[in-house]
Amino acid sequence: MGKKRLGELLVEAGVLTEQGLTRALSEQRSKRGKLGEVIVSLGLSSEEEIAQTLSMQLGISLIDLQNTPVEPQAIELIGEKVARKHLIVPVAIDQKELHIAMADPLSFEAFEDVRFASGYTIKPFLATRTGILWAIDQHYHLGSSLSTIVKDIADERMVEVVGEPRETDGRDVEDLRKKSEAAPVIRMVNLIIAEAAEHGASDIHIEPTKTALQIRNRVDGLLHKTMDLPKWVQGAVISRVKIMAKMDIAEKRLPQDGRIGVRIGGRSLDLRISTVPANYGEKVVVRILDSANSNISMDAMGLTSAELKTMEDIITRPQGIILITGPTGSGKTTTLYGILNKIKSVQENITTIEDPIEYELSGVNQVAVQEKIGLTFPTMLRSLLRQDPDIIMVGEMRDGETATIAVQAALTGHLVFSTIHTNSCVATVTRLRDLGIPSYLIATTIVGIVAQRLVRTICQKCRVKMEPSERDILRLGLKSSVPVYRGEGCPACNGTGYKGRIGIYEILVFTQPIRDMIATNATENELRQVAISRGMVTLGRNALEKVVAGVTTVDEVFRVVETDADFSSACPQCATPLEAEFIMCPSCGYSVVSVCPGCRRNLSQEWKFCPYCRHDLLKRDPKRSFA
């Protein structure tokens, strides 16, 4: 690398002429400056042209320091005096390599000084002289640099970290801790957390992009951008969060998890931190858990009186499995906690297995899964059965082994609660079969399945009436005379028109006909139709009831509920309710939805056979079946 000089490389690349080089060398000898600076001062070339030429000629990557995150632990390895002398900026540490941005990558002296000072192997990157001087001012005086960003943040917005770590693991960690605990860094992270808590956010997403550090908060299930920070603060902010969560600050290649206990304005919050390596740096997600939510009542979850009665009936059974299903973020864990709050008593031994424990419940034994040491759901569940439990809550049925042990627990007289990721109640049966549970065991052990979603509720301060569109009338089976509502947007709801969320539910109780159908491997569609004919309210129908009641909007229903089939038992052609007309199986007397009473559309394509006794309906009474 040291064989060719800067001037020769520039001449070879055509950036500088021989005459220009001679002039620059003469000027350098008289003023005793660096050749690159002399060339720029004489107007023979620009800093950017020199840097781009060196990058192509030497095969060294060119970086823009204003849009590059600089790690505090890298800065601490090299003193400011050395950085200014050689025009270098330490950027990152990668295992045993120190990444250095240099204005002159041909300087052997700079390489030797940095290698001696840091003890690392050096990997060079190119940057302009102006960019390096700017970065030195920013990162070697981080407190004053960040103060310009957070100068308007009020000091009262304090976030007190409960049990913040003070132990050190060596000089480098202590140096980084001091850097990340500079007052402006603390104030910036405090602002991010406090603003999210004040707006009722459930998650904070700290996302590195190519040119910035983006902060987004999830409020009522949707992400909203709150701020864009300069790219160069990325290292300091993420290091501060990782130190608060007792994570390994030197590990950036692998995902990590941690937790922070904080107090904000009298509120105690538990923050769950997750980091993953992304293409522009570590992405951090902070989940905000408010301990006040651990005492949620089933009455406050959005259940109607009929649904509440059904739920209370199935959760008080002496044994069996009750499953709560839905996608991530649909409130399954909150529902389980509400159920446990309802049924816990001093006479019952209740134990939960969770990953992680989200809220602490008094009167309930809670165990956190720890995969690293082999404490998995199946392992803990096996051990738990020797602890004389009455009620067991398993955080999630994510594999066949866990599902099998849960079924065995239910068969031996235990009441088991758990969650599973499926789209509907009947889809859960298919998922259990996929996990290897035989149909006859599903039919024997399951007491009930509850599918749920969360929909945003209309802000009551800006709610207005509106007429349903023709599309809404046709698709959802609404009557044109029924008003619907929306939120106009006001300061109380931050202009969204929504404030808070409420649950919508689909409850499938395992009655004997349902058990018999499952045991004979009935399809999802057969199970669904029979469940509806026996009174099951679908997710779509439940959501529509909340639309008509003015609780949520039609748009929100479309966002949360997946398919037209979920919108109850309304005819897809004329929207007439279908509950009124059935055909009866001549063999067993079972009722099956057959023909729309409004437009007489054939709805029996799936009903060649009775779902209960498998009698051939078309052969016995084709005229009535296909009116």
Side-chain angles (χ1 to χ4, degrees):
M1 190 181 291
K3 291 183 179 179
K4 285 193 177 181
R5 296 179 178 276
L6 174 62
E8 296 172 5
L9 291 172
L10 294 177
V11 171
E12 285 182 9
V15 175
L16 199 64
T17 63
E18 290 284 357
Q19 294 80 5
L21 176 59
T22 303
R23 180 185 170 193
L25 290 171
S26 175
E27 186 76 10
Q28 182 193 28
R29 283 191 292 270
S30 64
K31 294 189 176 181
R32 308 187 70 82
K34 290 184 179 292
L35 180 60
E37 297 173 22
V38 172
I39 292 172
V40 173
S41 66
L42 291 175
L44 299 175
S45 182
S46 68
E47 284 186 303
E48 290 74 17
E49 287 176 330
I50 294 174
Q52 289 169 0
T53 300
L54 286 175
S55 176
M56 289 186 291
Q57 293 288 97
L58 301 175
I60 299 175
S61 300
L62 179 66
I63 61 174
D64 177 7
L65 287 170
Q66 292 197 25
N67 292 317
T68 301
V70 173
E71 297 175 0
Q73 57 265 48
I75 288 289
E76 288 295 331
L77 292 175
I78 306 298
E80 182 180 356
K81 185 176 180 181
V82 175
R84 289 192 183 276
K85 175 184 176 183
H86 296 298
L87 286 177
I88 61 169
V89 173
V91 175
I93 300 172
D94 184 8
Q95 295 182 298
K96 295 182 180 180
E97 283 188 341
L98 178 62
H99 296 184
I100 296 285
M102 312 179 72
D104 182 7
L106 302 174
S107 173
F108 178 76
E109 182 186 0
F111 271 88
E112 287 302 301
D113 282 357
V114 172
R115 186 182 294 114
F116 177 78
S118 67
Y120 284 81
T121 302
I122 307 304
K123 181 176 181 179
F125 290 83
L126 266 165
T128 64
R129 179 178 182 275
T130 302
I132 286 176
L133 290 174
W134 174 88
I136 290 173
D137 290 337
Q138 296 294 326
H139 298 289
Y140 282 95
H141 305 279
L142 185 62
S144 57
S145 301
L146 289 176
S147 291
T148 61
I149 299 175
V150 297
K151 60 184 178 181
D152 296 326
I153 302 174
D155 290 334
E156 301 82 52
R157 305 181 70 157
M158 293 298 293
V159 175
E160 180 185 353
V161 180
V162 180
E164 186 168 6
R166 292 294 174 189
E167 69 278 3
T168 61
D169 298 317
R171 180 182 60 83
D172 292 343
V173 175
E174 177 62 18
D175 288 344
L176 177 56
R177 189 183 318 288
K178 289 178 181 177
K179 198 72 175 180
S180 69
E181 289 179 352
V185 180
I186 292 177
R187 292 173 65 198
M188 180 177 290
V189 175
N190 286 356
L191 170 68
I192 292 170
I193 296 172
E195 280 201 340
E198 288 170 9
H199 289 98
S202 59
D203 302 273
I204 305 169
H205 291 245
I206 303 174
E207 302 171 322
T209 66
K210 189 173 183 178
T211 59
L213 183 66
Q214 179 178 261
I215 311 298
R216 294 194 293 170
N217 294 337
R218 187 178 296 279
V219 181
D220 292 337
L222 294 182
L223 285 169
H224 304 274
K225 184 188 288 190
T226 58
M227 64 180 81
D228 275 330
L229 298 174
K231 184 71 174 178
W232 57 268
V233 308
Q234 179 178 315
V237 169
I238 292 177
S239 292
R240 170 63 183 167
V241 174
K242 291 174 71 174
I243 286 176
M244 291 167 69
K246 302 183 182 180
M247 292 180 175
D248 182 356
I249 53 180
E251 181 57 76
K252 301 177 291 295
R253 299 164 300 155
L254 297 173
Q256 293 189 68
D257 295 298
R259 62 184 295 176
I260 311 168
V262 298
R263 279 192 287 268
I264 304 174
R267 294 171 61 194
S268 293
L269 302 177
D270 193 12
L271 309 182
R272 302 299 167 88
I273 317 299
S274 172
T275 68
V276 294
N279 53 341
Y280 295 117
E282 285 184 285
K283 180 182 185 296
V284 180
V285 175
V286 181
R287 189 172 187 189
I288 303 174
L289 302 173
D290 190 343
S291 57
N293 294 334
S294 63
N295 295 319
I296 189 169
S297 166
M298 287 181 63
D299 298 330
M301 296 193 306
L303 293 161
T304 65
S305 57
E307 289 168 340
L308 191 59
K309 185 177 183 302
T310 303
M311 284 281 283
E312 289 176 347
D313 176 57
I314 63 175
I315 67 176
T316 52
R317 302 287 178 88
Q319 67 270 328
I321 300 175
I322 293 106
L323 293 175
I324 313 296
T325 183
T328 301
S330 59
K332 299 185 298 295
T333 303
T334 302
T335 298
L336 282 179
Y337 279 23
I339 290 171
L340 293 181
N341 277 324
K342 179 76 174 179
I343 63 176
K344 67 181 181 181
S345 70
V346 293
Q347 290 82 28
E348 303 280 2
N349 176 13
I350 304 176
T351 304
T352 72
I353 309 170
E354 305 173 62
D355 183 22
I357 297 172
E358 296 197 7
Y359 301 113
E360 293 183 4
L361 294 174
S362 61
V364 176
N365 305 297
Q366 295 174 273
V367 179
V369 167
Q370 298 182 60
E371 300 277 354
K372 292 180 180 178
I373 62 171
L375 184 60
T376 61
F377 278 116
T379 303
M380 187 57 210
L381 191 50
R382 283 195 191 92
S383 300
L384 188 59
L385 292 176
R386 297 191 289 270
Q387 290 277 316
D388 186 33
D390 297 302
I391 299 170
I392 303 169
M393 192 270 271
V394 182
E396 182 184 346
M397 281 192 186
R398 60 178 62 164
D399 53 56
E401 190 177 5
T402 305
T404 300
I405 301 169
V407 166
Q408 292 170 354
L411 286 171
T412 53
H414 301 89
L415 184 61
V416 180
F417 294 94
S418 188
T419 69
I420 192 167
H421 287 250
T422 60
N423 291 328
S424 65
C425 290
V426 294
T428 304
V429 176
T430 303
R431 174 62 177 150
L432 290 172
R433 289 169 178 162
D434 184 55
L435 290 175
I437 307 300
S439 294
Y440 72 92
L441 285 181
I442 297 172
T444 304
T445 56
I446 304 293
V447 173
I449 303 173
V450 180
Q452 70 176 73
R453 302 289 189 277
L454 292 175
V455 294
R456 292 181 293 171
T457 54
I458 301 171
C459 175
Q460 295 301 305
K461 293 188 177 180
C462 61
R463 190 179 79 158
V464 294
K465 187 182 294 187
M466 59 179 288
E467 295 297 324
S469 67
E470 185 176 344
R471 174 176 175 268
D472 298 338
I473 293 171
L474 290 175
R475 182 178 175 185
L476 304 182
L478 294 172
K479 294 181 180 180
S480 57
S481 58
V482 175
V484 293
Y485 300 85
R486 65 177 179 86
E488 286 191 311
C490 66
C493 59
N494 293 318
T496 63
Y498 297 95
K499 187 73 172 177
R501 289 189 291 175
I502 196 169
I504 57 172
Y505 301 90
E506 176 180 288
I507 305 175
L508 175 60
V509 180
F510 273 43
T511 57
Q512 193 57 47
I514 295 292
R515 294 183 192 277
D516 291 343
M517 288 184 66
I518 292 172
T520 56
N521 293 314
T523 66
E524 282 188 26
N525 187 63
E526 291 172 339
L527 283 172
R528 180 186 181 83
Q529 289 288 354
V530 170
I532 291 173
S533 72
R534 293 285 174 167
M536 184 185 80
V537 178
T538 65
L539 283 169
R541 190 68 175 179
N542 190 281
L544 287 178
E545 290 173 0
K546 288 180 169 56
V547 169
V548 174
V551 175
T552 190
T553 65
V554 172
D555 289 341
E556 187 68 2
V557 171
F558 286 152
R559 183 182 72 85
V560 172
V561 183
E562 290 83 359
T563 64
D564 286 348
D566 284 308
F567 295 114
S568 82
S569 47
C571 173
Q573 181 166 299
C574 70
T576 302
L578 300 177
E579 289 85 350
E581 184 154 327
F582 304 94
I583 65 168
M584 182 179 291
C585 174
S587 176
C588 66
Y590 205 81
S591 298
V592 181
V593 176
S594 173
V595 179
C596 171
C599 65
R600 308 306 296 172
R601 176 175 175 171
N602 170 27
L603 301 167
S604 304
Q605 299 295 340
E606 300 293 333
W607 296 108
K608 177 175 171 58
F609 299 100
C610 172
Y612 190 62
C613 72
R614 315 304 291 174
H615 181 79
D616 189 337
L617 296 174
L618 303 185
K619 181 179 179 180
R620 186 63 178 250
D621 195 356
K623 290 185 179 179
R624 186 172 182 186
S625 297
F626 292 90

